[in-house]
Amino acid sequence: MTKPATLLTIILLIQAAVSGCTNRRQLPSLSSHGFNDAEGFNCADSIVAAVGDARDNNERVLAVIDSLEKTGELSLPKIIFYRTITYNLMGQRRNSLRLYSQLNSIDMSDIATEADLDAYLYSYHNYVRLLCEMRRYDRALREANAADRRLKAAGYDAFADHHDIAQTIGECQLYLGQGNLAAMSFQKSLQGVHARLAAHHDPLDYRECQKCMNAIAKAYMQTQCYAEAAPWLAVQDSLYAAAEALPQPDSVFLDEMKADICYSKALLANAQGRTADAERAFGEYLSTKTSRQTGSIINSSEYLMQTQRYEEAARNYEQLDHFLKSGGYKADFANFGLFMIPKFRANMLAGKRDSALRVANIVAEYYDSALVRQRRIDSDLLTTFYDTEGKERQIAEQSAKLSQQRLLTVVIVLIVFVVFAVVYTMQRRKAYKKLDATNRQLVIANEKAKESARMKANFIRQISHEVRTPLNVISGFTQVLAAPDIEIGSDELQTISEKIVENSERITHLIDKMLDLSQLNSNADIECNDTVRPADILAQAIAMSDIGEAGHLLLQQQSSPQTEQLTLVTNKKAAAKALALLLNNAVKFTHPQTMKQQEGDDEKQRVTLAVTATQQQLTFTVEDTGIGIPPEQAENIFDEFVQLDEYTEGTGIGLSIARSLARHLGGDIALDTTYTHGARFVMTLPVDET
């Protein structure tokens, strides 16, 4: 275990990194705590701490770390640790993330001092925390489990037993829908808090433990689990009372604790409809000094927006530009979602349309750079599953070979041309024609190669998006089942089994779709030997679709009298499958009427399935009250891999398969652009007049 003095210094440094823009702190002095060489600290650590004592001097801290690294006076764990803290103080999260590739290169047997072990532990925790803040929850869990295994193999305490690390792991599990596992991690975090406070009683210990408990409460509120959030606020009240009763309480920490607790109570009370309690808690929050800092003023706009005090929120956001510039925030999607979009909404709802337009212009201006930045973040996740780099190398090698072949062909043709030009002057025209034909073939081959590369890249992007999520869930649960030290109850085991089966079926359905698409593209004939009634096709389509499991939808069926006695000769399975794909499309893009849905059909969205007939044609109409489709996209949506909303799950081939099936049966599927209350698809099948 780490000695109290060593633990105090490490936590002070970590607190400086994670305190955020509202409470920026500098690196504390090591000499004031009496560290010695036996604990793993030396003169080099004192130099870094002394430079860090000077405010707003982070560039100099980095220069000192670089210098000490060259002389070999700092170990690799401490180099990563000090740079991580400094980058976080500067708001350079991307540079901080880049450091963690070096963590896996550390040989655990080389960690011989408590200082190196603490530096490794907290650096890895910061890595997991950053991934969690970036909503890379599955990646954060994998990294936490990997660090846990490495530490156990080296004989150190489990990584996940630290209270702040257990809290971060639980938060990831909660956002991934693993509520039972998250509750277990949060209880482990609470046990870690009790263990820490039993050994250490400094004001900073209480502040750090309170922040950990507050993060758990906020995670539950973010997932609308308000009843689960309340007990964690009660734990914070007890921590505040204990910190206030210390012989030498820290007024700054007490003020920060009170601000966190009161603000969280205001959010919870407002979400539960307790308006008076919410206003009282928010008033206590505003009485703190912490609430008057720039970062706190920006963050408090969340409560103002929830309580429809848009004018106040808009005034708070007037300080946002200075806040972002001073904090070193970059133009990425995370910061757009955290700051720019809420500012836009606040100004719009407050009636300040000019200000809202300026914010929108800023977002539009930085969208491309943010997109590039986000793609860089996502690239490592794609590489994990599909070896994207290997695919790119193969494409590059194929392009290089094609270029060599083209060059060789041109050289050969030129040589032949010269020879024939000298020997057979009268045949120059033929030689030119041959050369021209060869060049055309090369151009066509080159275009085919480019198109093939584009289709491969598009295929990888679409399929990776659809397969990655179920694979992550299966991988995460199998790691949990394989972990030797985790005890799982029968209920949790049942839940895990259901999740694994559910996501396995999801991958199977995707493969079935790809096989259907491949068969249809091969122009294979579909035999039409089934004599069926329209009602049979309707029943089988409903059974094959997801409409029965969509609790937020009400399915209405309508049939004209002409269809009751009608029979047609077709392929029943193919016709039902095409109609089922249209129903699935309606389920996918028709969202619930309200976030808090009441029981009863009046609160449900509707999907109407109608069938009519003439002597020559049977018509199925699928009409929903969803988000609708722009008329100009009426044909594009039937192309393969086309999705109008890139954030919606799916591969973009369902409608393409449905239309292909209908056309193989002699019919067709089209979008009715005259319908404006959602989307209306019309599928026709021929009726044999005999």
Side-chain angles (χ1 to χ4, degrees):
M1 294 297 293
T2 308
K3 296 181 181 179
T6 305
L7 181 61
L8 174 61
T9 299
I10 299 299
I11 292 180
L12 282 170
L13 292 173
I14 283 294
Q15 200 274 340
V18 303
S19 57
C21 296
T22 60
N23 296 295
R24 295 187 63 179
R25 301 180 184 274
Q26 299 298 318
L27 300 177
S29 173
L30 296 173
S31 59
S32 62
H33 301 290
F35 297 123
N36 53 56
D37 292 341
E39 295 169 329
F41 290 99
N42 52 36
C43 181
D45 298 286
S46 299
I47 293 173
V48 175
V51 176
D53 282 338
R55 291 187 175 274
D56 299 324
N57 206 13
N58 295 312
E59 294 291 349
R60 187 181 175 195
V61 174
L62 290 175
V64 169
I65 296 172
D66 291 341
S67 178
L68 293 174
E69 179 184 15
K70 292 178 181 178
T71 59
E73 297 181 56
L74 281 178
S75 64
L76 181 56
K78 286 196 284 188
I79 290 171
I80 297 174
F81 176 60
Y82 287 134
R83 283 178 177 162
T84 296
I85 300 304
T86 308
Y87 282 136
N88 287 341
L89 286 171
M90 299 169 70
Q92 299 180 7
R93 294 196 308 173
R94 199 70 60 239
N95 288 333
S96 179
L97 279 172
R98 291 193 183 100
L99 291 172
Y100 293 106
S101 61
Q102 303 177 41
L103 281 175
N104 290 330
S105 66
I106 295 177
D107 189 343
M108 299 302 295
S109 62
D110 293 338
I111 298 181
T113 67
E114 296 176 6
D116 284 348
L117 177 59
D118 285 336
Y120 180 86
L121 283 173
Y122 286 105
S123 295
Y124 229 115
H125 172 235
N126 191 63
Y127 181 32
V128 174
R129 180 185 59 81
L130 286 177
L131 290 172
C132 181
E133 289 179 357
M134 297 165 60
R135 302 182 181 181
R136 306 300 185 195
Y137 305 122
D138 51 348
R139 180 67 179 272
L141 284 178
R142 288 200 306 274
E143 295 294 345
N145 289 331
D148 195 51
R149 289 193 297 270
R150 293 189 70 194
L151 285 164
K152 285 181 179 178
Y156 295 110
D157 291 340
F159 179 70
D161 286 343
H162 292 264
H163 67 86
D164 48 357
I165 299 172
Q167 173 266 310
T168 303
I169 292 174
E171 189 173 341
C172 293
Q173 292 168 333
L174 185 62
Y175 288 134
L176 288 173
Q178 305 169 12
N180 294 333
L181 296 178
M184 295 169 58
S185 297
F186 290 153
Q187 286 300 320
K188 185 182 294 185
S189 177
L190 181 59
Q191 294 171 6
V193 165
H194 291 321
R196 174 174 176 175
L197 296 179
H200 310 294
H201 309 287
D202 288 322
L204 181 59
D205 292 302
Y206 285 94
R207 170 58 174 148
E208 288 296 312
C209 291
Q210 177 268 320
K211 286 167 57 180
C212 189
M213 299 297 98
N214 195 52
I216 296 175
K218 284 187 175 180
Y220 273 126
M221 284 190 283
Q222 287 290 334
T223 54
Q224 299 181 0
C225 301
Y226 303 120
E228 289 82 353
W232 298 99
L233 290 175
V235 173
Q236 295 180 66
D237 285 335
S238 64
L239 292 175
Y240 180 82
E244 192 176 28
L246 290 174
Q248 295 180 338
D250 188 302
S251 60
V252 175
F253 288 148
L254 286 174
D255 188 78
E256 292 173 350
M257 292 172 72
K258 180 179 179 181
D260 278 354
I261 296 170
C262 291
Y263 188 70
S264 295
K265 285 182 177 179
L267 290 175
L268 179 60
N270 181 68
Q272 293 177 327
R274 297 182 286 112
T275 305
D277 293 339
E279 284 300 305
R280 184 163 46 255
F282 190 66
E284 293 181 15
Y285 163 75
L286 294 178
S287 68
T288 64
K289 294 181 180 178
T290 302
S291 68
R292 294 189 288 275
Q293 297 178 1
T294 304
S296 296
I297 292 173
I298 299 299
N299 293 332
S300 64
S301 297
E302 177 185 3
Y303 175 81
L304 296 176
M305 291 292 290
Q306 289 183 7
T307 55
Q308 299 182 4
R309 291 152 67 173
Y310 305 126
E311 185 70 28
E312 295 178 56
R315 285 200 301 270
N316 285 355
Y317 278 120
E318 290 175 359
Q319 304 183 47
L320 180 61
D321 292 343
H322 173 71
F323 170 71
L324 295 177
K325 183 176 181 181
S326 61
Y329 286 89
K330 303 297 184 182
D332 55 28
F333 289 121
N335 291 330
F336 284 173
L338 286 173
F339 302 114
M340 303 305 293
I341 302 302
K343 180 178 180 179
F344 171 79
R345 291 183 63 246
N347 280 281
M348 281 293 294
L349 294 173
K352 299 183 177 182
R353 299 188 179 276
D354 291 341
S355 298
L357 181 59
R358 285 195 294 270
V359 176
N361 286 334
I362 293 174
V363 173
E365 181 179 352
Y366 287 101
Y367 174 80
D368 288 339
S369 60
L371 184 61
V372 172
R373 194 182 300 274
Q374 192 69 26
R375 284 174 176 170
R376 290 175 181 173
I377 298 172
D378 290 338
S379 62
D380 61 335
L381 298 176
L382 290 174
T383 303
T384 302
F385 294 106
Y386 299 105
D387 190 17
T388 303
E389 294 177 353
K391 299 287 184 182
E392 291 176 350
R393 286 196 300 271
Q394 292 177 6
I395 293 174
E397 291 172 359
Q398 292 176 357
S399 298
K401 290 180 179 179
L402 180 62
S403 297
Q404 293 176 356
Q405 293 175 357
R406 181 170 55 187
L407 178 61
L408 181 61
T409 302
V410 171
V411 171
I412 293 174
V413 171
L414 288 174
I415 293 175
V416 172
F417 171 76
V418 171
V419 172
F420 275 81
V422 174
V423 180
Y424 304 101
T425 304
M426 299 301 297
Q427 297 183 0
R428 286 182 181 179
R429 186 177 298 273
K430 286 185 179 181
Y432 277 118
K433 288 182 179 180
K434 183 177 180 180
L435 178 61
D436 185 60
T438 303
N439 284 335
R440 281 199 302 271
Q441 292 175 0
L442 289 173
V443 170
I444 294 173
N446 189 35
E447 291 299 325
K448 287 183 177 179
K450 290 181 179 179
E451 179 65 15
S452 175
R454 185 194 66 78
M455 292 183 65
K456 286 180 181 178
N458 193 32
F459 176 81
I460 291 173
R461 179 178 65 83
Q462 295 286 354
I463 298 304
S464 66
H465 174 77
E466 188 69 11
V467 174
R468 178 172 59 192
T469 298
L471 280 181
N472 287 344
V473 173
I474 294 173
S475 175
F477 279 127
T478 52
Q479 289 181 20
V480 171
L481 293 174
D485 298 336
I486 294 180
E487 296 182 1
I488 302 176
S490 59
D491 292 340
E492 289 79 4
L493 185 59
Q494 178 66 23
T495 300
I496 290 175
S497 299
E498 291 175 355
K499 289 292 184 182
I500 291 177
V501 171
E502 175 186 334
N503 285 276
S504 298
E505 291 178 350
R506 183 175 172 181
I507 295 176
T508 301
H509 292 332
L510 175 61
I511 293 174
D512 289 341
K513 279 188 176 181
M514 298 307 299
L515 292 175
D516 288 340
L517 183 63
S518 176
Q519 183 179 10
L520 292 171
N521 286 340
S522 66
N523 293 322
D525 293 334
I526 297 180
E527 295 183 358
C528 297
N529 299 325
D530 301 327
T531 301
V532 297
R533 295 182 300 111
D536 298 331
I537 298 176
L538 286 177
Q540 185 168 346
I542 293 173
M544 294 172 65
S545 71
D546 301 330
I547 193 74
E549 301 175 3
H552 66 287
L553 292 178
L554 177 64
L555 176 63
Q556 295 181 333
Q557 298 186 52
Q558 300 174 358
S559 299
S560 65
Q562 294 86 346
T563 63
E564 295 180 359
Q565 303 300 325
L566 177 68
T567 60
L568 69 156
V569 178
T570 185
N571 187 297
K572 179 182 177 182
K573 181 178 179 181
K577 189 165 191 176
L579 190 57
L581 289 171
L582 296 182
L583 289 173
N584 287 342
N585 188 74
V587 172
K588 183 177 179 181
F589 293 100
T590 306
H591 305 305
Q593 185 74 20
T594 59
M595 293 302 294
K596 296 181 179 179
Q597 186 173 335
Q598 302 295 329
E599 293 295 332
D601 294 341
D602 291 340
E603 295 296 333
K604 293 185 178 182
Q605 297 278 38
R606 300 177 185 272
V607 174
T608 302
L609 177 56
V611 56
T612 59
T614 64
Q615 292 183 346
Q616 292 81 25
Q617 182 173 274
L618 181 65
T619 302
F620 297 93
T621 303
V622 178
E623 178 181 301
D624 62 55
T625 56
I627 61 176
I629 300 171
E632 62 272 13
Q633 299 291 339
E635 286 301 316
N636 292 339
I637 58 173
F638 292 103
D639 291 339
E640 297 173 6
F641 307 118
V642 170
Q643 285 185 292
L644 302 185
D645 184 359
E646 63 177 325
Y647 299 103
T648 301
E649 292 184 356
T651 56
I653 62 175
L655 292 177
S656 178
I657 293 175
R659 173 178 269 188
S660 295
L661 286 171
R663 289 181 173 177
H664 275 75
L665 299 177
D668 202 355
I669 293 179
L671 175 70
D672 185 354
T673 58
T674 63
Y675 180 69
T676 59
H677 299 290
R680 177 189 288 159
F681 287 91
V682 179
M683 184 176 89
T684 58
L685 292 177
V687 175
D688 190 351
E689 296 184 4
T690 60

